[in-house]
Amino acid sequence: MSKEIPAHNLSIYVANRPGALARIAQTFSRRGFNIESLVVSAGATGDFSRMTITAKGDEAGLEQIIMQCSKLVDVLACREHTDEEVVARELALVKVAVDSAHRGEVLQIADHFRAKTVDLSEKSIVLEATGSSEKLDAMVDLLSKYKIIELVRTGKVIMARGERET
Amino acid sequence: MSENQMNGAEALIQSLEKIGIEIAFGIPGGSAIPIYDALYKVRRKMKFVLVRHEQNAAHEADGYARATGKPAAVLVTSGPGAANTVTGIMTAYMDSVPMIVVTGQSVRGMLGKDAFQEADIFNLTMPIVKHSYLLKNANEIPRVIKEAYHIATTGRPGPVLIDVPKDVGTEACTAELEAEMNLPGYKPNPKGYGPETIRQIADALAKSQRPVIIAGHGAVLSRAEKELRQFAETLQAPVATTLLGKGVFPDSHKLSLQGLGMHGTAYANRAVVECDLMISVGARLDDRILGVPSQFCKNAVKIHIDIDAAEFGKLVKPDIRCRGDAKTVLQDLLPLLKKGDTAEWIKRIEGFKKKWPMTYAKKGGLHPPQVIDALNKLTGGKAVMTTDVGQHQMWAWQFFRCDKPWQFISSGGAGTMGFGLPAAIGAQFGRPGETVVAIVGDGGFQMTMSDLATAVIHKLPVKIILMNNHYLGMVRQWQDMFYDERYSGVDLEGNPDFVELAKAYGVLGLNLKRAADIPKVLKKALEHPGPALVNVEVVHHEEVFPMVPPGKPLEDTVLCHPRRKPGRPAGRKNGPAQTGKKNA
Ligand SMILES: Cc1ncc(C[n+]2csc(CCOP(=O)(O)OP(=O)(O)O)c2C)c(N)n1
Ligand SMILES: [Mg+2]
């Protein structure tokens, strides 16, 4: 197998202006980085947005991307965080096809991962789970034994622990 | 509407004037008519130049900025007008040139509906601008112009684009022209270093026995020529300049190595190969000067001074990085400098210069370097020189003797053919009393020559020296050297009679065919009060040397054609194939 390409957590604090997202996305695509997940949300005040990006690529490319992003006129800060430095959460909604025969098993899995049932019908169930991306991966993995009709994940959001800035 | 109520377009023109834009280049069109109407109605001091192609408008603004340090504006219409500026914007972006590009746009309600002449220029140009705006309403205009100017001219300069929907231009602007900027993320940071970095640099310099300074456009832009000279003289370190750094250290100075890189001098490249310390002052260390990036100054301490932190480690990993304005950094560094003990090193470099001097052929037809050299003598090295892109550009760079910055204007990063003439026009607008010479090739000149009209209308005495080798010479050189002479798509058969062409525009046209006539013809062109074009019939087959073959390190600088058979009409005197390495 080929060498595992490392995934990086980046947090970008950006003025809420048209084009900001496109400019940031371009700095990644230009350097061959694959964005795994991207979450854009309002910052603490309305004029700013917080972007959390998980992307795969080599260290040298990453350093370039951080510097190129930091240089964008709209960007106030662009930082990489190791997994240890942050709390990371993700939310997933999983729609699983279940008949009454298998519902119990699926609910058991849900219970193990502390997932909530947010919709239930005769042929399907929608589960909501939050936690680390790895935990969600594990849950989805187990559920894939049944028929997953749809899967929607928010992508990872991170926040630096303690006094550190994200 | 009260009597002195302005609309958005009027606010735009007034804001441009207020911020200090002295000249604008462009062509109107449907979406830009409100802007042109405002030009008609409210323009006072700003000069307007109607060009013949929007690419030229951008190159003219570019040439103006490179000759004066001040940005100019480009005013064009939507769709094709805006799209035509793309090459010019990219050229300015690659070379850190400030510029304000204002594009007309379809009305707001039609955006995204493929309206007539709608092009999403905001997104089209995103990777080649320092920043850009798509205006939403007229009241933003004073603030946006102020921000655009600030962004274009501070930190690492660059082009800023403002897309103006037609109905934003016509709606009332009630905002004060005196606006406040709102740029929370913009941090140009001319002093992004601390005293410990300066001390580290000083310590490294003190330890070095064979230092080399590389000076680039950043040193020009920060006007660091005085500090650079003091720095080099105190340290007794040789200075090589990049294409865009030409003149920031005097070519005639004893410590000058002139240019380095792919077509740099053999002694500059050799010095870089042998140095134990390389300090780059405002050069971004691009692939055209590095040879093979991983082998560049492999065993030397590498210090990189740049205002743009994103340049550090792009191709070369520096041992010390110093983010800051070149002039400021050198000013902080100078008091800590000890006089360098480099006599031995300088002596060695003198030896390189003797061994591999910059010479050129004088027999067997006309050779471009001869013409450049004659220009040196006739203009006393005082001319502003612009170039196009190709062999003639490299010869101009190699043989133009220039002791001051802001005097040599060339498209480096982008290598845009067609740049030479419009850049000269822009430069001449910026420096009206001075001699402006454009060195162009027969290929590139034909890409933008329509602006001869602009030179004539505005009585700009630009001197166009057209090195006519009837080839796309630089490509022919590569096909000759690296593709076994398979000449493909490089023969410019069907070239017009350039002298007649010049005359058709009202430009003085002169032919130059014999070496003996060089001074006479050039003098005639230089003394002519208006624009002049000299068609120089140069040797068709001639290669630019020294050269670092693509993919090779600077060690492999070759001084002449490795395969040139005696008796062929080669320009350069034939000699054994030499590399810097073998001869050192
Ligand atoms: C717009 C553009 N197209 C193509 C090229 C590729 N190119 C680089 S140099 C060159 C030849 C230039 O020919 P000419 O203008 O006659 O100059 P010469 O090399 O003969 O002096 C070409 C085609 C370029 N740099 N720019
Ligand atoms: Mg040519």
Side-chain angles (χ1 to χ4, degrees), chain B residues 441-443 467-473 492:
Chain B
D442 47 331
M467 302 292 187
N468 192 350
N469 54 9
H470 299 259
Y471 272 114
L472 295 170
L492 289 175

Side-chain angles (χ1 to χ4, degrees), chain B residues 88-422:
Chain B
I89 297 173
M90 182 260 307
T91 304
Y93 179 74
M94 290 294 280
D95 288 348
S96 317
V97 177
M99 181 183 297
I100 309 251
V101 183
V102 178
T103 53
Q105 181 55 277
S106 306
V107 296
R108 283 165 289 184
M110 289 298 278
L111 292 185
K113 296 179 181 165
D114 295 331
F116 176 63
Q117 295 195 329
E118 180 194 352
D120 185 357
I121 199 68
F122 178 75
N123 277 298
L124 259 168
T125 54
M126 207 171 260
I128 53 165
V129 293
K130 185 167 173 190
H131 196 55
S132 48
Y133 296 86
L134 169 56
L135 295 186
K136 293 275 167 11
N137 64 68
N139 283 339
E140 297 182 275
I141 289 172
R143 173 182 55 82
V144 165
I145 297 295
K146 194 166 179 189
E147 288 178 4
Y149 188 94
H150 179 64
I151 293 167
T153 54
T154 53
R156 179 177 182 173
V160 176
L161 180 134
I162 305 164
D163 202 16
V164 188
K166 191 172 183 178
D167 55 341
V168 169
T170 50
E171 84 177 1
C173 173
T174 52
E176 292 288 324
L177 284 185
E178 195 59 66
E180 275 204 22
M181 295 194 286
N182 178 14
L183 294 170
Y186 184 58
K187 30 198 181 314
N189 213 357
K191 212 165 167 163
Y193 58 90
E196 53 312 328
T197 307
I198 298 295
R199 208 164 313 118
Q200 241 183 318
I201 298 176
D203 286 349
L205 290 170
K207 281 193 207 110
S208 165
Q209 262 136 35
R210 299 187 306 279
V212 163
I213 301 166
I214 297 177
H217 201 199
V220 177
L221 292 169
S222 80
R223 301 186 186 268
E225 61 270 20
K226 216 180 81 217
E227 289 77 7
L228 178 69
R229 188 169 174 160
Q230 231 177 314
F231 178 59
E233 286 174 351
T234 311
L235 209 61
Q236 281 299 300
V239 183
T241 44
T242 66
L243 182 78
L244 300 191
K246 188 172 178 71
V248 73
F249 190 76
D251 278 336
S252 62
H253 197 286
K254 190 173 159 287
L255 289 169
S256 175
L257 297 163
Q258 288 106 41
L260 83 161
M262 183 170 268
H263 289 296
T265 63
Y267 39 91
N269 287 353
R270 190 68 211 170
V272 170
V273 164
E274 290 194 8
C275 75
D276 65 2
L277 179 147
M278 181 285 301
I279 178 163
S280 164
V281 183
R284 69 187 169 90
L285 304 177
D286 84 315
D287 54 285
R288 277 296 183 270
I289 70 164
L290 297 178
V292 178
S294 60
Q295 295 187 45
F296 176 77
C297 289
K298 225 176 9 205
N299 302 315
V301 174
K302 294 178 273 294
I303 304 170
H304 199 169
I305 301 168
D306 206 295
I307 194 146
D308 179 2
E311 288 305 337
F312 300 135
K314 208 189 237 177
L315 291 173
V316 174
K317 219 170 178 60
D319 299 293
I320 305 174
R321 47 181 79 187
C322 177
R323 185 195 176 180
D325 176 74
K327 188 187 185 97
T328 317
V329 173
L330 291 182
Q331 278 170 345
D332 285 347
L333 196 53
L334 281 169
L336 302 191
L337 279 193
K338 293 195 194 71
K339 194 158 172 59
D341 174 23
T342 58
E344 198 114 321
W345 175 230
I346 297 300
K347 220 173 93 198
R348 185 160 173 79
I349 286 169
E350 291 300 323
F352 298 159
K353 288 185 179 175
K354 284 213 186 74
K355 201 170 200 170
W356 308 304
M358 286 302 288
T359 54
Y360 56 84
K362 299 181 183 76
K363 296 212 179 79
L366 257 177
H367 306 281
Q370 283 179 294
V371 180
I372 306 287
D373 209 16
L375 277 170
N376 285 334
K377 296 192 184 95
L378 289 167
T379 62
K382 290 207 172 65
V384 174
M385 181 177 285
T386 74
T387 79
D388 216 86
V389 168
Q391 291 185 309
H392 63 279
Q393 173 191 31
M394 291 298 111
W395 280 312
W397 178 50
Q398 290 178 336
F399 291 98
F400 179 42
R401 282 289 151 269
C402 122
D403 288 345
K404 288 211 180 94
W406 306 95
Q407 225 181 308
F408 182 77
I409 297 173
S410 194
S411 167
T416 302
M417 281 171 73
F419 178 77
L421 171 64

Side-chain angles (χ1 to χ4, degrees), chain B residues 438-449:
Chain B
I439 308 293
V440 301
D442 47 331
F445 175 67
Q446 293 186 70
M447 291 188 176
T448 53
M449 63 187 181

